Amino acid sequence: MGNCFSVDDEEDTKKQQKKKQKPVKSPGKISPDPSNDYNTRHTLQADEDKIGRTLSNSFHNLNPREKIEEAEKLKTQGNEYFHHQDYSKALQCYTVAIKLNENNAIYFSNRARCFKSLARYQEAIEDCNRCCELDDTFFKAYLIKGCSLLELSKTELSPESARSGVRALRLALQICRETNKETFLPELQIYYRKGAKLSFVKRAQQHRARYASLKDYFKTKVEEQPPTDFLGEELMDFLEETSNQYKPTEIPDHLTCSITFEMLKDPIVIESGHTYEETAIESHFKQLGHFDPSTRRLCSRSIMYKNIAIDKAVNHFIDQFPWAFQPDEEEDACLSYEF
């Protein structure tokens, strides 16, 4: 599995610049970044501005080619700091690299990752937007933007940030598939599922608040002036029906494993034609023997295939009903998701 949130280094840079750079000496072991409270963030930002101005001035007399070379060295240095979790120093390196070469999408993506790690989500989103302007196929920019929007949405009443975050993650998934970066898909899919569920919960909470307010309003109006022909009851029934769209329903039987009684994640069809969760049927064969647990019919362990149709059906169901992702957890649990 690939690491979606790793910073991009030499291999990715070759897409935009084929010249190989001299290695930069590692900064060595660096202690993790300090706390991310308000005062610390603003102190760091002041330091970044000061260091950025100093370094930029020292590169003032370089020609365009030399600026590009120095920017690459700073990016490599920033990557070292990032890998040692010194995000503020990494951010300084990327900032100066951007000043030297503002047309490299990777620099903005890497700096956005630093901003996100420092909980400076709005700045991360701005860098992601700039990265996407330079390269609209850079899936990590959409990923960082989506996760930053979802982090912001946790403290907002409106579900709009969560919706925008899910849209960005959907784009990241689409780009990954189109550019054959399958190694990142499993991790990215989890972020997308978590984001979709958080968005669903935020919308459900907003809907319930509106529903309660409207119900109280119309109930008062009906009591003040009783309508004819059961209009009041019909109105209440209509409001009740509209609220049901955010209520979890039952997961269809054909999407659940008859061994675990949970929704299928890795559906495997065996020789008998029945489908089970892969780990569950493997355990059954190992402990009880090579027979179908539903029909008791003998079957070969070697004849097992991924049920692609059921896998697509499960994904479609979760897309339509995001609550189905980890359905047994409490609603507010998604507010503690890490993006």
Side-chain angles (χ1 to χ4, degrees), residues 7 42 68 70 74 78 85 104 126 128 151 171 174-175 187 194 201 207 237 244 254 262 270 276 300 333:
V7 288
H42 282 261
I68 291 175
E70 290 300 328
L74 283 163
Q85 299 180 35
N104 190 308
E126 291 169 4
C128 289
E151 288 289 355
L171 272 172
Q174 179 182 335
I175 292 169
E187 184 181 0
K194 288 181 177 180
V201 168
H207 183 86
D237 289 341
N244 289 335
H254 69 280
E262 296 178 353
I270 63 175
Y276 301 96
S300 172

Side-chain angles (χ1 to χ4, degrees), residues 30-44:
I30 302 170
S31 58
D33 208 46
S35 63
N36 294 329
D37 60 28
Y38 179 87
N39 291 329
T40 300
R41 290 200 303 273
H42 282 261
T43 301
L44 288 174

Side-chain angles (χ1 to χ4, degrees), residues 192-238:
Y192 175 74
R193 295 295 186 215
K194 288 181 177 180
K197 184 163 185 177
L198 176 59
S199 177
F200 174 86
V201 168
K202 300 290 286 188
R203 284 182 283 124
Q205 291 174 342
Q206 184 186 62
H207 183 86
R208 283 196 293 268
R210 288 177 175 175
Y211 168 74
S213 178
L214 281 173
K215 186 174 181 180
D216 290 342
Y217 172 79
F218 284 118
K219 186 176 181 180
T220 301
K221 291 297 182 182
V222 168
E223 291 173 352
E224 290 176 355
Q225 188 176 357
T228 58
D229 300 329
F230 303 102
L231 180 60
E233 292 182 15
E234 291 177 5
L235 182 60
M236 291 301 177
D237 289 341
F238 173 75

Side-chain angles (χ1 to χ4, degrees), residues 3-66:
N3 183 356
C4 289
F5 276 123
S6 62
V7 288
D8 296 289
D9 45 33
E10 187 175 338
E11 182 179 352
D12 301 271
T13 305
K14 288 177 182 177
K15 299 176 187 175
Q16 300 191 23
Q17 182 179 331
K18 294 183 179 179
K19 185 163 183 175
K20 191 173 182 180
Q21 306 296 330
K22 294 180 180 179
V24 177
K25 187 177 180 181
S26 168
K29 189 173 182 180
I30 302 170
S31 58
D33 208 46
S35 63
N36 294 329
D37 60 28
Y38 179 87
N39 291 329
T40 300
R41 290 200 303 273
H42 282 261
T43 301
L44 288 174
Q45 190 164 5
D47 290 342
E48 290 155 18
D49 294 339
K50 181 178 179 181
I51 292 172
R53 286 193 298 271
T54 302
L55 290 176
S56 294
N57 290 335
S58 67
F59 297 135
H60 182 69
N61 295 323
L62 298 179
N63 62 43
R65 180 177 177 179
E66 290 172 335

Side-chain angles (χ1 to χ4, degrees), residues 130-146:
R130 178 58 180 149
C131 177
C132 294
E133 289 174 5
L134 294 168
D135 183 356
D136 60 4
T137 65
F138 210 98
F139 88 91
K140 287 187 181 180
Y142 294 104
L143 168 63
I144 298 167
K145 178 180 178 179

Side-chain angles (χ1 to χ4, degrees), residues 16 98 101-105 107-108 130 134:
Q16 300 191 23
I98 288 170
N101 181 9
E102 60 182 13
N103 295 316
N104 190 308
Y107 301 165
F108 285 97
R130 178 58 180 149
L134 294 168

